[in-house]
Amino acid sequence: MEVSIYNTMSRSIEPFIPLEKGKVGMYCCGPTVYNYAHIGNLRTYIFEDLLHRILTYSGYDLTHVMNITDVGHLSDDGDEGEDKMERRSRESGMSVYDIAEMYTKSFFTDTSALNIITPDVTCRATAHIGEMIGLIRRLEKNGHTYISGGNVYFSIDTFPAYGRMARLKLDQLSSGARIEVDENKRNPKDFVLWFTKGKFENQTMKWDSPWGVGYPGWHLECSAMSMKYLGESFDIHCGGIDHVSVHHTNEIAQSEAATGKEWVKYWVHGEFLIDETGKMSKSKGDFLTISLLKEKGYDALDYRYFCLTGHYRSQLIFSWDALSAARSGRTNLKKQVASLIQETGGKKTEISSDAAQAVLDEFNGHITTDLHVPQALAVLWKLMKDKDITSGEKLSLIEMMDSIFALDLLKEEKKESEPIPQEILDLVQKRAEAKKARDFALADSLRDEIGEKGYTVKDTKDGAEIFRNM
RNA sequence: GGUGCCGUACCCAAGUGGUAAGGGACAGGUCUGCAAAACCUCCAUGCAUCGGUUCGAAUCCGAUCGGCACCUCCA
């Protein structure tokens, strides 16, 4: 199936044409594992997962690579920067490696709860120091580097296309407006490839290199690892929108300066999740995590559903009300699917009717056009209400759609069937008797009493159902 | 200072030239002693404001107001 996607490089939706027919190499910037991921971070991985699923669904043989940043990501630019991992280590008393392991694990716990498919390759920066040193040597050989104040810098003046994707106007950037200019830089936009100086006294992660003992600059790892696993040119590079102007700009510069080739064909960026006050960030006090959502009674997939209702290139406004709406939506969807399963005994039917085929075509059209997932979701709702399509066909269609949505629509909810206390059962029994005697005042007061004790009773045609209140 | 984005109902949100998707909430109905559930129905002549282009504008252009992001670290 043909896929089109918005390319940040051209600022337009382009037909996707892979470098090698039928195959796709995709690299996505992964987490820096110095803290828990907040739900804004995770929105980006949900969007990348949708792209992953859509490419696979469309018949491509996909290789999806994601890095784990466990070194070199500074909290600030310039000499004042401190490695985020090291800072966390200093603050917590744990070793940097323990921190990396702990937060890597929690990251994958979150992504797994969100039904995000684990990339084919996940690679740690600290396991690829050799590749990074190799890349610096290539840049050095091509005359793109200089050493100043002990650090190795990339010289952007040696790369005329610098800032092309971000459309930076270098002469008009107000460098130093918000940060101190690094005196060692020839051009304020130059960036460090290898640190041997800086806030370094406590750095525990360091390696020997031709330029001295030190550690790599943050941007370097993505270039080095993506080329290792996907080759010197590959199809798709994803990440958050915030990476366009610095991180990806620098990645492009150092990669293309090293190889002399176009590095990435399609750049795909996901917009931010924001709240009423604007962007979510880890430095802005408390941040929202999947485990917090769970504590408040939401399923991780309620959040996934919420993300599916907005387009990946638009900001999405988070609120508890909006999340509750998503939870209700997903719950209703699941209920309707469950009743379809009950009705058919779970038997799916091959799609044969014109009506069903039309729904499938519409769905396919949406997902293969720049990830128009919100419209695809609307198609699912239309399908649920359709009166001409048989239940068996519906189930087949739902299964196909959910291979993209990944909302576990066909999965039966396992109810934790805690035993109902005898006390409650007695009250329910009493109420049933009161109802039978048409003493509704007593029945209602008994229902209130049951409610006070934390249970809800609902009458069905097969008698009373009892639920524990959440 | 430079760059870019956004403003659609009570909330979230889709829609980039052909007459406003979808979800949630609300309201009404069927059913039920009532409630809940389920099902049905209703829900923006309107897309920040003002002009312009066009047979036709939420969509294109200009201005204004309001909000946000990036040019430090960030998904």
Side-chain angles (χ1 to χ4, degrees):
Chain A
M1 227 175 333
E2 302 266 316
V3 175
S4 65
I5 188 85
Y6 183 87
N7 189 347
T8 305
M9 189 62 85
S10 67
R11 307 284 161 104
S12 61
I13 296 171
E14 299 179 14
F16 175 71
I17 302 161
L19 294 168
E20 193 180 337
K21 195 166 185 286
K23 291 192 175 178
V24 183
M26 177 163 93
Y27 183 88
C28 299
C29 285
T32 301
V33 284
Y34 70 105
N35 204 339
Y36 294 109
H38 64 59
I39 59 173
N41 300 127
L42 292 164
R43 183 188 179 197
T44 299
Y45 300 102
I46 290 171
F47 129 67
E48 289 162 354
D49 182 62
L50 290 168
L51 181 54
H52 176 126
R53 289 170 182 274
I54 287 166
L55 289 168
T56 309
Y57 177 93
S58 302
Y60 289 104
D61 178 9
L62 172 70
T63 306
H64 180 172
V65 179
M66 185 183 76
N67 66 297
I68 303 285
T69 298
D70 55 358
V71 68
H73 199 163
L74 302 190
S75 57
D76 293 290
D77 197 13
D79 283 345
E80 292 310 303
E82 182 179 11
D83 190 301
K84 290 186 176 192
M85 301 295 297
E86 298 279 353
R87 182 164 72 180
R88 192 73 183 178
S89 167
R90 181 164 51 73
E91 287 167 356
S92 68
M94 291 168 73
S95 83
V96 280
Y97 292 100
D98 286 346
I99 287 169
E101 197 189 325
M102 177 177 152
Y103 290 114
T104 302
K105 215 172 143 191
S106 90
F107 176 79
F108 285 114
T109 302
D110 287 344
T111 55
S112 153
L114 289 164
N115 277 350
I116 292 170
I117 296 169
T118 302
D120 303 289
V121 178
T122 57
C123 41
R124 288 180 301 123
T126 51
H128 296 78
I129 301 297
E131 284 84 352
M132 292 190 232
I133 289 174
L135 191 61
I136 301 174
R137 297 195 78 135
R138 284 178 80 174
L139 290 167
E140 196 170 41
K141 216 166 129 191
N142 294 351
H144 293 289
T145 67
Y146 61 93
I147 296 171
S148 179
N151 294 334
V152 182
Y153 290 89
F154 182 90
S155 170
I156 67 158
D157 295 319
T158 66
F159 187 72
Y162 185 83
R164 184 163 67 96
M165 177 169 72
R167 309 199 170 174
L168 302 179
K169 291 181 180 167
L170 293 173
D171 52 336
Q172 283 177 43
L173 291 173
S174 65
S175 302
R178 291 163 76 192
I179 57 158
E180 300 248 338
V181 177
D182 180 347
E183 295 291 324
N184 295 314
K185 291 182 181 178
R186 291 179 187 169
N187 184 316
K189 297 295 290 176
D190 288 348
F191 55 93
V192 176
L193 297 167
W194 190 265
F195 289 97
T196 68
K197 292 285 186 298
K199 209 168 203 173
F200 203 27
E201 315 81 58
N202 300 317
Q203 184 84 17
T204 50
M205 290 195 289
K206 50 192 168 187
W207 295 265
D208 201 9
S209 83
W211 313 279
V213 174
Y215 60 99
W218 173 47
H219 311 297
L220 197 58
E221 60 173 276
C222 290
S223 296
M225 292 193 282
S226 64
M227 286 195 237
K228 173 174 179 177
Y229 295 106
L230 296 171
E232 293 186 353
S233 295
F234 57 93
D235 299 294
I236 301 175
H237 191 135
C238 299
I241 189 74
D242 56 314
H243 281 148
V244 173
S245 58
V246 178
H247 183 48
H248 290 167
T249 290
N250 291 347
E251 282 184 40
I252 292 168
Q254 66 198 2
S255 300
E256 299 194 349
T259 66
K261 296 186 244 189
E262 186 185 37
W263 179 46
V264 168
K265 209 167 162 196
Y266 299 90
W267 285 89
V268 188
H269 292 101
E271 253 293 355
F272 274 152
L273 179 77
I274 61 172
D275 61 26
E276 311 79 52
T277 66
K279 191 174 97 175
M280 285 189 187
S281 78
K282 288 178 185 171
S283 51
K284 244 169 57 178
D286 63 339
F287 58 91
L288 302 164
T289 58
I290 291 297
S291 49
L292 180 67
L293 262 49
K294 284 184 177 167
E295 273 172 40
K296 292 198 179 246
Y298 298 92
D299 191 292
L301 294 180
D302 295 332
Y303 177 64
R304 184 177 173 108
Y305 181 98
F306 174 66
C307 290
L308 264 41
T309 63
H311 190 240
Y312 77 99
R313 283 195 287 115
S314 297
Q315 291 184 343
L316 185 61
I317 303 172
F318 177 84
S319 66
W320 292 105
D321 279 351
L323 185 63
S324 296
R327 176 174 59 188
S328 299
R330 191 178 83 95
T331 304
N332 290 340
L333 208 43
K334 281 203 71 157
K335 276 188 198 162
Q336 291 186 30
V337 174
S339 80
L340 281 176
I341 290 171
Q342 200 169 31
E343 183 194 326
T344 58
K347 251 194 201 149
K348 300 175 193 90
T349 325
E350 221 173 295
I351 294 157
S352 54
S353 73
D354 289 349
Q357 187 59 46
V359 167
L360 182 57
D361 290 345
E362 199 184 348
F363 174 82
N364 288 342
H366 286 313
I367 60 166
T368 55
T369 307
D370 194 31
L371 276 71
H372 282 179
V373 176
Q375 287 104 308
L377 197 56
V379 172
L380 172 59
W381 280 102
K382 261 198 283 181
L383 170 69
M384 298 311 294
K385 287 183 212 145
D386 193 288
K387 296 203 167 59
D388 299 324
I389 298 170
T390 65
S391 299
E393 280 184 307
K394 281 188 182 179
L395 283 180
S396 298
L397 286 164
I398 291 163
E399 187 177 43
M400 292 173 93
M401 292 179 178
D402 206 36
S403 71
I404 304 297
F405 298 141
L407 295 168
D408 288 354
L409 296 177
L410 293 146
K411 201 163 138 192
E412 256 186 87
E413 211 65 62
K414 264 184 267 150
K415 278 253 167 67
E416 290 296 319
S417 49
E418 285 175 57
I420 308 289
Q422 191 58 44
E423 177 196 16
I424 301 297
L425 291 174
D426 289 346
L427 287 168
V428 170
Q429 179 60 30
K430 264 195 198 166
R431 176 171 171 271
E433 284 161 14
K435 273 185 68 177
K436 209 169 170 187
R438 302 193 70 79
D439 184 351
F440 297 122
L442 177 61
D444 287 350
S445 79
L446 284 165
R447 182 164 59 196
D448 289 344
E449 194 181 338
I450 293 164
E452 277 163 26
K453 292 180 189 297
Y455 289 82
T456 304
V457 62
K458 291 177 185 173
D459 296 324
T460 70
K461 59 181 188 302
D462 305 318
E465 272 184 40
I466 311 155
F467 301 96
R468 195 191 170 124
N469 295 339
M470 289 295 288

